[in-house]
Amino acid sequence: MAFRNKRKLGDLLKEDGLITEEEIMSALKEKKQKQKLGDALVEQGFITEKQLLEVLEVHLGISSVSLYSFPIDIQLMDLVQKDFARDNKLIPIQRQENILTIAMNDPLDYYSIDYLELSTGFTIKPVIATKDDILQTIHKYYDMGDYEDNPADDEEAPAIRILDQILQTGVTLKASDIHIDPYETKISVRYRVDGVLRTEKTVPKSLMNALVARVKILSNLNITETRLPQDGRIRILIDAKPVDLRIATLPTTFGEKVVIRILDLTNIFKTLKELDFSEDTLGSYEQAIRKPSGLILLTGPTGSGKSTTLYGSINELNTEDVNIITIEDPVEYQLEGINQVQVNNTVGLNFATGLRSVLRQDPNIIMVGEIRDRETAEIAIRAALTGHLVFSTLHTNSALAAIPRLFDMEVEPYLVVSSLNAVMAQRLVKKICPDCKQTRPITELEKGIFEKHQMNVEHLSEGAGCNHCRFTGYRGRIAIHELLIINETIKKMMMNNKDLSEIKSYLKQNGMHFLLEDGLHKVAKGVTTIEEVLRVATTED
């Protein structure tokens, strides 16, 4: 029979001094239905997944394995059903005579071990692997047969299966986007994870038409139109979780490219306290959004987390006694208690016309997805001046750059000055993987950067690269911010056409933290690296 040393996980963790009985009880109280204790402890931040696996490895005498680089025998997939493997976070990886090695996220799952011994006839030898590693390997190896080019098959059935697998892998990888790229002889499937695109799969070119048609059918697009770009959306369940998909097609030389934006509806709302603000910035921003009227702008490039901050802000203000209306393109998340309007240019409903109509609906708070032109800017600003709190976004590189951007739209400067309450700029940087985090002495060059910003740092953190982060050293992302609060002095400087450099000097003297400084504080805390911060924030700050 398989290894038996039945001990409880909680006892092992307490024995190693990683957790207390009170913390275990707290985790059990907060954990989701059917969630295992280990997963709950990791999710709630009591321990890291690395600590969990190390405890199991030491106390149970079971070795851990990196599936990312393990030579897996693909034929073993026939021994364990995919659904059972996925539900129980395990996968067969090796067979030696009558011993079947199973990579498991929970080697204390004796039910699964007993079941596999009965169903396969082999003695089961468990090894430990991370949950993400197992799920990614399941999608990679169980799906291989579906990607083989078999012209004899009906094209539609494999296209349905392949798209399901592509979407499921995207959710498992926590990807923000999926790119289906057509080439001359194949289709490449790439996933954007933590802001970086990487290729995970290739699909036979013969399935191209069926695969694109399947995407279009799901998202109610015209399957006969292949010469023009199309946009659509769909809400589906993936692994029992509701997920919104935004679809965009684009005709290219070798066929239609498809980009699928994944909006995981289980992670929609982050409160402002969960949005990585420094304490000072959070306090000032909360004060700004609680003013009864005025314009609040969020700036930054596409994919910098502006929508998340906007939704977090509006959700904070969403009470029964206020009327909140949004005009978006597209509506990314449906929010209960908020009236959301979808821009529809084909019938003439753009931001400007939508905003005019919204003002006749007795709103207290208005969110305009983006200010793109003078007309929208003027209506938003006039709304802010007539007792409404207005949120919107601009594509500028810094908070300060939002002021000349509005002037460039030929909006009257006195209107901009009178209406503007605050401008928030933000970027996303990759977080150091907590499981392979290590410290090193700071270099002289790095020390100089910190000293320039009156910071004294001796050691920095970085990720060594491990199985948990696929050897990148990073896992997840965090936002860095700069918040410009428009006070009376700045209003006077704006009205007197003062140079931006003068305004910037005043802000520095009065303690405003720019993007680079906020990033450097997060580097000093060991959350991210100086390379990541310098990638998105300029050193002139």
Side-chain angles (χ1 to χ4, degrees):
M1 286 294 286
F3 121 97
R4 289 288 183 272
N5 181 12
K6 296 198 175 185
R7 298 186 64 191
K8 288 184 177 177
L9 175 62
D11 294 336
L12 301 179
L13 293 167
K14 282 191 293 181
E15 199 174 303
D16 274 23
L18 290 172
I19 202 158
T20 63
E21 181 67 30
E22 290 72 27
E23 287 170 332
I24 289 173
M25 297 310 292
S26 171
L28 288 170
K29 188 179 174 184
E30 296 295 323
K31 82 179 183 75
K32 298 168 189 164
Q33 196 175 7
K34 295 186 179 177
Q35 189 180 34
K36 292 182 177 178
L37 174 62
D39 289 341
L41 289 168
V42 172
E43 189 177 290
Q44 293 173 38
F46 290 113
I47 54 172
T48 67
E49 191 171 11
K50 184 183 181 185
Q51 288 174 320
L52 175 62
L53 298 192
E54 281 173 352
V55 165
L56 294 172
E57 197 173 350
V58 170
H59 285 279
L60 305 179
I62 302 174
S63 57
S64 64
V65 65
S66 165
L67 302 180
Y68 187 62
S69 53
F70 194 90
I72 292 171
D73 183 350
I74 300 168
Q75 293 178 333
L76 297 177
M77 303 304 127
D78 293 337
L79 296 173
V80 181
Q81 288 182 324
K82 180 182 175 182
D83 287 346
F84 184 84
R86 193 176 67 230
D87 292 347
N88 295 285
K89 314 292 186 295
L90 55 84
I91 188 169
I93 58 172
Q94 195 177 58
R95 175 190 162 190
Q96 289 174 314
E97 296 179 354
N98 70 327
I99 296 174
L100 182 65
T101 302
I102 301 279
M104 305 181 71
N105 183 236
D106 179 12
L108 295 171
D109 183 359
Y110 304 115
Y111 165 78
S112 293
I113 294 172
D114 288 343
Y115 173 81
L116 290 172
E117 288 196 332
L118 287 168
S119 63
T120 65
F122 291 106
T123 297
I124 300 300
K125 177 189 171 188
V127 293
I128 305 169
T130 68
K131 181 170 68 175
D132 284 349
D133 205 7
I134 290 170
L135 290 172
Q136 288 166 26
T137 308
I138 287 170
H139 289 309
K140 184 175 180 181
Y141 289 107
Y142 273 93
D143 301 342
M144 284 187 112
D146 288 332
Y147 290 90
E148 289 171 6
D149 194 358
N150 188 351
D153 278 354
D154 171 26
E155 280 189 357
E156 192 178 334
I160 292 170
R161 283 199 306 275
I162 289 168
L163 183 61
D164 287 348
Q165 290 153 10
I166 287 170
L167 296 176
Q168 202 165 49
T169 302
V171 171
T172 302
L173 290 172
K174 300 181 178 68
S176 59
D177 301 89
I178 303 171
H179 290 239
I180 302 173
D181 298 314
Y183 297 112
E184 190 171 5
T185 58
K186 65 178 183 181
I187 306 164
S188 169
V189 181
R190 296 185 294 165
Y191 296 89
R192 189 177 293 281
V193 180
D194 293 340
V196 179
L197 269 175
R198 63 181 190 224
T199 303
E200 285 286 327
K201 290 179 168 72
T202 56
V203 178
K205 181 74 175 187
S206 62
L207 289 171
M208 181 76 211
N209 292 339
L211 188 59
V212 173
R214 176 65 183 162
V215 172
K216 287 181 174 180
I217 288 165
L218 278 178
S219 48
N220 292 320
L221 299 181
N222 182 354
I223 61 169
T224 61
E225 180 55 80
T226 59
R227 298 163 302 167
L228 293 172
Q230 295 188 69
D231 296 302
R233 69 181 300 156
I234 178 179
R235 177 175 290 188
I236 58 173
L237 285 176
I238 298 177
D239 288 341
K241 291 195 298 186
V243 176
D244 255 14
L245 304 175
R246 277 189 4 220
I247 315 290
T249 68
L250 181 73
T252 70
T253 310
F254 297 115
E256 287 180 276
K257 173 181 168 72
V258 178
V259 175
I260 302 170
R261 167 66 58 92
I262 301 174
L263 303 167
D264 185 347
L265 298 179
T266 57
N267 293 321
I268 303 173
F269 297 123
K270 286 193 170 180
T271 63
L272 291 180
K273 289 182 175 61
E274 296 172 308
L275 288 179
D276 317 315
F277 289 117
S278 68
E279 211 171 304
D280 290 351
T281 304
L282 177 61
S284 301
Y285 185 66
E286 283 185 323
Q287 274 187 322
I289 68 171
R290 294 199 178 278
K291 289 190 174 178
S293 63
L295 177 62
I296 292 171
L297 292 175
L298 270 74
T299 77
T302 303
S304 58
K306 297 190 299 293
S307 294
T308 305
T309 305
L310 273 178
Y311 282 119
S313 307
I314 283 178
N315 210 38
E316 189 93 357
L317 302 170
N318 185 15
T319 55
E320 193 184 338
D321 57 342
V322 294
N323 179 20
I324 303 176
I325 305 180
T326 73
I327 310 162
E328 304 172 62
D329 183 21
V331 172
E332 290 194 23
Y333 299 118
Q334 271 97 35
L335 308 176
E336 195 170 335
I338 292 173
N339 306 284
Q340 294 170 274
V341 178
Q342 167 74 54
V343 164
N344 185 349
N345 288 310
T346 54
V347 295
L349 178 57
N350 56 28
F351 282 123
T353 54
L355 191 47
R356 279 200 188 90
S357 302
V358 162
L359 288 169
R360 293 193 286 270
Q361 293 287 321
D362 185 31
N364 301 99
I365 298 167
I366 302 166
M367 180 184 108
V368 186
E370 188 184 340
I371 292 177
R372 296 176 184 167
D373 53 51
R374 176 187 172 182
E375 191 180 9
T376 310
E378 279 202 336
I379 303 167
I381 285 169
R382 289 185 187 279
L385 290 171
T386 53
H388 305 91
L389 185 62
V390 181
F391 290 88
S392 194
T393 68
L394 269 182
H395 283 274
T396 63
N397 287 329
S398 68
L400 206 48
I403 297 167
R405 178 82 180 90
L406 289 170
F407 289 173
D408 289 345
M409 287 182 180
E410 298 181 353
V411 180
E412 290 292 343
Y414 76 91
L415 291 177
V416 176
V417 172
S418 307
S419 64
L420 206 51
N421 285 357
V423 186
M424 169 91 76
Q426 66 180 69
R427 300 286 189 283
L428 293 179
V429 292
K430 295 199 283 282
K431 284 168 70 176
I432 297 169
C433 172
D435 292 310
C436 60
K437 187 166 156 183
Q438 58 186 24
T439 57
R440 62 165 174 83
I442 193 169
T443 67
E444 285 303 312
L445 184 65
E446 291 165 338
K447 199 166 191 173
I449 294 171
F450 280 100
E451 284 174 351
K452 188 183 171 187
H453 295 275
Q454 290 76 52
M455 295 173 69
N456 185 26
V457 179
E458 294 299 325
H459 290 85
L460 296 180
S461 298
E462 62 185 10
C466 68
N467 192 45
H468 301 249
C469 61
R470 308 196 87 178
F471 302 95
T472 62
Y474 296 103
R475 201 164 90 221
R477 290 192 288 177
I478 189 171
I480 61 173
H481 308 90
E482 66 181 27
L483 177 61
L484 168 60
I485 299 292
I486 310 293
N487 61 22
E488 289 305 318
T489 306
I490 295 171
K491 286 184 178 183
K492 281 176 188 168
M493 293 175 90
M494 286 163 63
M495 281 306 294
N496 293 326
N497 289 322
K498 293 290 184 187
D499 196 77
L500 280 189
S501 58
E502 281 186 64
I503 301 177
K504 192 168 188 176
S505 297
Y506 165 78
L507 292 169
K508 279 186 176 177
Q509 288 164 15
N510 284 269
M512 175 174 159
H513 283 174
F514 293 88
L515 278 173
L516 182 63
E517 289 168 304
D518 190 45
L520 290 176
H521 278 104
K522 281 162 184 168
V523 172
K525 286 180 179 175
V527 180
T528 187
T529 62
I530 199 162
E531 292 82 6
E532 270 297 290
V533 171
L534 293 178
R535 181 177 63 82
V536 300
T538 56
T539 49
E540 36 183 83
D541 291 343

